Amino acid sequence: MDKARPVWAEVDLNALKRNYERIKAYTTSEIMPIVKANAYGHGAIPTVKALYEAGARRFGVAMLEEALEIKQAFPSVKVMTIGFMPADFAQTIVREDIITGVYQFSQAEALSKEALAQGKKATIHIKVDTGMGRIGFREDALQQIQRIAELPNIYIEGIYTHFAASDQVDLTFAREQLKKFLTLCDRLKALGIKIPIRHAASSAAIIQFPEAHLDMVRPGIILYGLPPSLQVGRNVGFEPVMTWKARIAHIKTISAGETVSYGCTFRAAYPTRVATVPVGYADGLQRALSNRGEMLVKGRRATIIGRVCMDQTMLDVTKIPGAEVGSIVTLLGTDGYERIDATEMAEWLETINYEIVCDISQRVPRIYTEK
Ligand SMILES: *Cc1c(COP(=O)(O)O)cnc(C)c1O
């Protein structure tokens, strides 16, 4: 660690590769790793490089800037935007050969025009909304898709949908969505519109809904070693890729009755040994963890006392006599026999592990390892 501040996140690229191999045990479909939001906080470029080495050739992102960043570093990989994409960026999309998920006719029209101007073909995937209610053509959009298929210089390589509830044990809704999707695909086929790649499954459906794997799957969270929900994907062997650590910056003992941090919300009931850790909500450690979250020190759990500040947080280390200035603190990861993972932290906050890893801010340097 050569940073002045001892707070860092370790990203184990070999764990990432092992998770990719585990996905291959679930499916024979093509795998398009989802690396949006800086690869769920893990760092897009190192993640793409590692997964490319593992065999992935196509990556999914949420937005144009993310696609451009990857294309610039790895011109030969295929990159697809799966989410929002305004039509005004057609020129860049066509120039950079980015595959676009299309959910409005106007996008396809703009891409067609631009592809014609640049003497190229624009590759698109049609997004279908079968129940997520977010973006996509609804099932009755057959005519619009037909019109897209007739546009010049457009290649419809794929068609896809997204499940709203494939991370529950009860797959009734997901099955209805799949049925609607396949019905639409069949109708298009009957109209002579043949689309080679149909895809629907994200992590949860990869694990528990093999009928939905179709021609390609779109794993995100399980690549990073986290389960898609509390019901699905726990104990199936994916390894967390990122750990989050810091070192104790300061230690003192306060007397019974003294308080800690803003608002004096923690008042010591007994003489308390307090460790200050130089990490706070500006690093993505949620302020809602004040007086409730835990971190690991010397293989033991230490409770966060008082409010989490912007840059610093205090722990009760009274029962961890070995804790001293410079001791490693594990916010996410394993220390001895104890482990705190993003799923547990998410439970303290009544949110999901996805949000925990995405929230670890850019201020926390990512250290890449291969263990
Ligand atoms: C984010 C996303 C995924 C990946 O989801 P996970 O649950 O992380 O596997 C797949 N498809 C779409 C459309 C997404 O937005």
Side-chain angles (χ1 to χ4, degrees):
M1 267 313 300
D2 50 5
K3 296 276 177 193
R5 190 179 66 137
V7 178
W8 69 100
E10 278 173 31
V11 177
D12 180 355
L13 296 173
N14 279 346
L16 178 72
K17 288 179 180 174
R18 288 191 291 271
N19 289 335
Y20 182 82
E21 290 302 317
R22 288 182 183 103
I23 294 171
K24 283 186 8 198
Y26 279 94
T27 190
T28 52
S29 304
E30 181 182 350
I31 298 169
M32 175 168 75
I34 302 299
V35 294
K36 62 193 177 192
N38 202 27
Y40 293 40
H42 293 65
I45 297 302
T47 297
V48 169
K49 182 168 181 288
L51 292 174
Y52 186 85
E53 286 164 9
R57 291 293 176 268
R58 180 197 294 267
F59 295 87
V61 295
M63 50 191 234
L64 183 59
E65 287 84 347
E66 294 171 347
L68 293 174
E69 186 193 0
I70 293 169
K71 272 288 188 186
Q72 195 166 27
F74 308 101
S76 68
V77 307
K78 291 182 180 168
V79 183
M80 170 175 175
T81 61
I82 54 177
F84 167 77
M85 176 62 79
D88 351 349
F89 291 92
Q91 190 178 13
T92 310
I93 293 166
V94 172
R95 190 184 63 227
E96 302 298 329
D97 296 311
I98 289 161
I99 303 168
T100 317
V102 164
Y103 51 89
Q104 280 163 9
F105 182 76
S106 59
Q107 293 173 290
E109 205 177 23
L111 288 168
S112 166
K113 231 187 234 169
E114 196 48 52
L116 210 57
Q118 294 187 30
K120 291 173 106 171
K121 263 198 169 192
T123 301
I124 66 169
H125 289 215
I126 300 289
K127 177 71 191 285
V128 185
D129 176 11
T130 53
M132 179 69 182
R134 191 165 63 178
I135 49 170
F137 294 100
R138 312 284 294 198
E139 294 150 85
D140 54 10
L142 212 60
Q143 274 194 333
Q144 283 193 72
I145 300 171
Q146 226 181 335
R147 275 172 64 210
I148 291 174
E150 285 161 6
L151 289 169
N153 298 45
I154 287 284
Y155 170 46
I156 307 181
E157 180 193 43
I159 184 163
Y160 67 114
T161 194
H162 192 55
F163 295 120
S166 63
D167 61 347
Q168 304 170 1
V169 171
D170 180 356
L171 285 175
T172 310
F173 194 74
R175 285 186 197 288
E176 280 170 25
Q177 283 192 265
L178 182 64
K179 200 168 153 200
K180 287 179 185 174
F181 179 61
L182 293 177
T183 304
L184 179 68
C185 291
D186 289 345
R187 286 206 186 120
L188 288 168
K189 201 168 164 190
L191 290 168
I193 302 169
K194 292 201 188 82
I195 305 179
I197 305 178
R198 297 161 306 160
H199 50 113
S202 56
S203 294
I206 291 170
I207 292 172
Q208 66 157 358
F209 193 15
E211 303 96 300
H213 291 184
L214 307 176
D215 307 301
M216 187 165 83
V217 295
R218 305 189 303 262
I221 200 78
I222 52 175
L223 274 171
Y224 309 105
L226 301 171
S229 69
L230 296 179
Q231 293 180 6
V232 175
R234 293 188 111 171
N235 309 319
V236 292
F238 291 99
E239 299 167 67
V241 170
M242 185 154 58
T243 58
W244 187 7
K245 292 182 181 166
R247 286 183 190 273
I248 292 175
H250 189 67
I251 293 232
K252 65 185 168 291
T253 299
I254 61 170
S255 312
E258 289 192 281
T259 64
V260 169
S261 196
Y262 291 120
C264 308
T265 59
F266 174 84
R267 184 176 297 273
Y270 46 80
T272 301
R273 204 153 168 262
V274 180
T276 303
V277 189
V279 59
Y281 61 77
D283 299 294
L285 183 70
Q286 295 294 312
R287 189 171 172 277
L289 291 170
S290 299
N291 288 308
R292 61 194 299 204
E294 293 173 336
M295 299 183 194
L296 305 179
V297 181
K298 302 277 173 193
R300 311 266 303 270
R301 284 175 182 256
T303 309
I304 294 175
I305 53 175
R307 291 210 176 124
V308 172
C309 309
M310 187 184 287
D311 318 299
Q312 305 186 74
T313 300
M314 277 61 78
L315 300 175
D316 180 349
V317 294
T318 310
K319 290 178 181 152
I320 312 177
E324 54 192 51
V325 171
S327 295
I328 289 198
V329 179
T330 302
L331 289 84
L332 292 178
T334 303
D335 182 1
Y337 296 110
E338 277 288 359
R339 169 162 142 173
I340 293 172
D341 58 22
T343 308
E344 182 179 2
M345 188 181 277
E347 281 191 275
W348 298 334
L349 290 162
E350 291 174 59
T351 181
I352 55 175
N353 51 24
Y354 294 70
E355 192 179 26
I356 300 295
V357 284
C358 285
D359 275 359
I360 300 176
S361 74
Q362 289 299 321
R363 198 166 83 161
V364 178
R366 271 52 167 183
I367 310 291
Y368 293 93
T369 64
E370 293 179 6
K371 286 185 182 159

